[in-house]
Amino acid sequence: MRSLPPPSDTQASVFALCLGATADPGLHARLAGIAANLAGAGVTYQLNAVAASLHLVPRVQSVGAVAKTELIGLYETHLSKTDGAARAVYDRIRNAAPNNRCPLCGVGNVAHCDHHLPKSRYPDLAVLPINLVPACHFCNDKKRAKYPTSAGQQTFHPYFDEHLLKDPWVRATLNSGPPPVLVFDTDPPSAWSAQDGERVRRHFDACGLAITFTTNANDELPVVRDRLILQESRGGTAAVQQFLNDERDIHSTRPNSWQYATYRTLAADAWFVGGGYRTIP
Ligand SMILES: [Zn+2]
């Protein structure tokens, strides 16, 4: 997971672009008639995102005289469509993640803008910039139309939830096998609120992070084995321990990356440090 600064594009500027590009006079008039409603929905979203209460944002089927399909159509016609009037906004949001790294998993490459609250349930938020976050194919596909019905069901929001990334809560467990395998789950700090603990568990499950992290970490193990054999030949078990400690510490700036969880677990495992790494196939 990675936090990101919120988009600089505003609700008002994006809605104006969509409205300006709406050729149908009837739809244009009906959209103009709900401008204040959509602005209000944007303010409600912002307040609830800051307060970690997005589950309280109301789900709607229409706004005034504008139907859900027409609101979703604004997004599909003017934002995500390649030649849409607000496509530059979509591109700015999608491209905002440093090194194109998905903020929801920290592993995949960004491919889409994901509606944090899905447009199928919240069509009044379909073109709200702070409801759009860059996401990789895998996270986008896993999350689909999930939405929170309680405070604990709120998944990690890259623009508002930096506090959820400060302490480590991704846990790697080493099964010695043979062959040795790392498995991932969550272990939120005991000092955290029950709500924050439930939130990171929900995020971990909603984005399928057990799969993503397990795949990447176990793919790395043969490389770890070869490095540790080299370290052992140079300085014995002490050098092996030092290498694993260093890797753990280097990755500690991202305490919920699979890399930090992996090296924290390996460095603390006496069997692994004492030569268990040699059994990695
Ligand atoms: Zn992802």
Side-chain angles (χ1 to χ4, degrees):
M1 286 67 57
R2 311 271 175 94
S3 61
L4 294 173
S8 54
D9 294 283
T10 65
Q11 187 277 337
S13 66
V14 174
F15 181 67
L17 285 171
C18 296
L19 189 62
T22 301
D24 178 81
L27 178 58
H28 188 283
R30 287 185 290 118
L31 284 170
I34 63 163
N37 305 63
L38 296 185
V43 171
T44 298
Y45 182 98
Q46 166 95 27
L47 292 172
N48 281 290
V50 169
S53 55
L54 281 175
H55 61 296
L56 299 179
V57 172
R59 295 180 289 280
V60 301
Q61 288 295 314
S62 60
V63 179
V66 183
K68 169 176 158 175
T69 51
E70 292 171 316
L71 291 166
I72 293 173
L74 284 184
Y75 174 77
E76 293 174 344
T77 306
H78 305 305
L79 262 98
S80 65
K81 199 172 170 191
T82 313
D83 60 353
R87 174 66 190 205
V89 175
Y90 179 96
D91 288 341
R92 274 195 289 277
I93 293 172
R94 192 190 58 179
N95 298 336
N99 303 312
N100 207 35
R101 197 65 86 178
C102 173
L104 302 181
C105 61
V107 176
N109 293 324
V110 170
H112 313 277
C113 284
D114 175 58
H115 286 88
H116 185 77
L117 294 183
K119 60 186 183 303
S120 59
R121 302 280 180 168
Y122 307 85
D124 52 340
L125 306 173
V127 300
L128 178 66
I130 54 175
N131 190 41
L132 293 169
V133 299
C136 71
H137 275 305
F138 189 79
C139 288
N140 192 51
D141 183 56
K142 282 283 174 190
K143 252 183 103 242
R144 289 183 177 268
K146 295 188 178 85
Y147 61 94
T149 57
S150 68
Q153 288 185 358
Q154 298 173 89
T155 56
F156 167 72
H157 197 314
Y159 305 145
F160 297 99
D161 291 331
E162 189 174 12
H163 66 286
L164 294 178
L165 302 185
K166 294 204 184 305
D167 299 319
W169 50 264
V170 170
R171 174 170 60 189
T173 302
L174 179 66
N175 295 335
S176 56
V181 173
L182 287 159
V183 293
F184 288 79
D185 66 353
T186 57
D187 182 30
S190 55
W192 274 23
S193 67
Q195 177 181 312
D196 282 350
E198 193 181 341
R199 289 191 62 194
V200 295
R201 275 190 209 100
R202 168 79 169 181
H203 181 79
F204 190 86
D205 292 341
C207 292
L209 296 185
I211 299 168
T212 301
F213 289 1
T214 298
T215 301
N216 280 272
N218 289 299
D219 191 50
E220 182 79 359
L221 282 182
V223 178
V224 174
R225 175 202 60 208
D226 290 349
R227 288 192 171 135
L228 295 182
I229 289 172
L230 188 61
Q231 292 298 325
E232 206 278 338
S233 72
R234 289 170 174 168
T237 302
V240 169
Q241 183 72 67
Q242 189 61 53
F243 178 88
L244 293 171
N245 290 352
D246 288 346
E247 289 295 312
R248 176 198 63 202
D249 295 346
I250 286 165
H251 290 293
S252 66
T253 52
R254 292 192 178 121
N256 290 294
S257 61
W258 65 263
Q259 292 95 332
Y260 178 70
T262 291
Y263 285 106
R264 186 165 69 133
T265 292
L266 297 183
D269 190 297
W271 169 80
F272 189 81
V273 174
Y277 56 86
R278 292 181 181 278
T279 66
I280 297 168

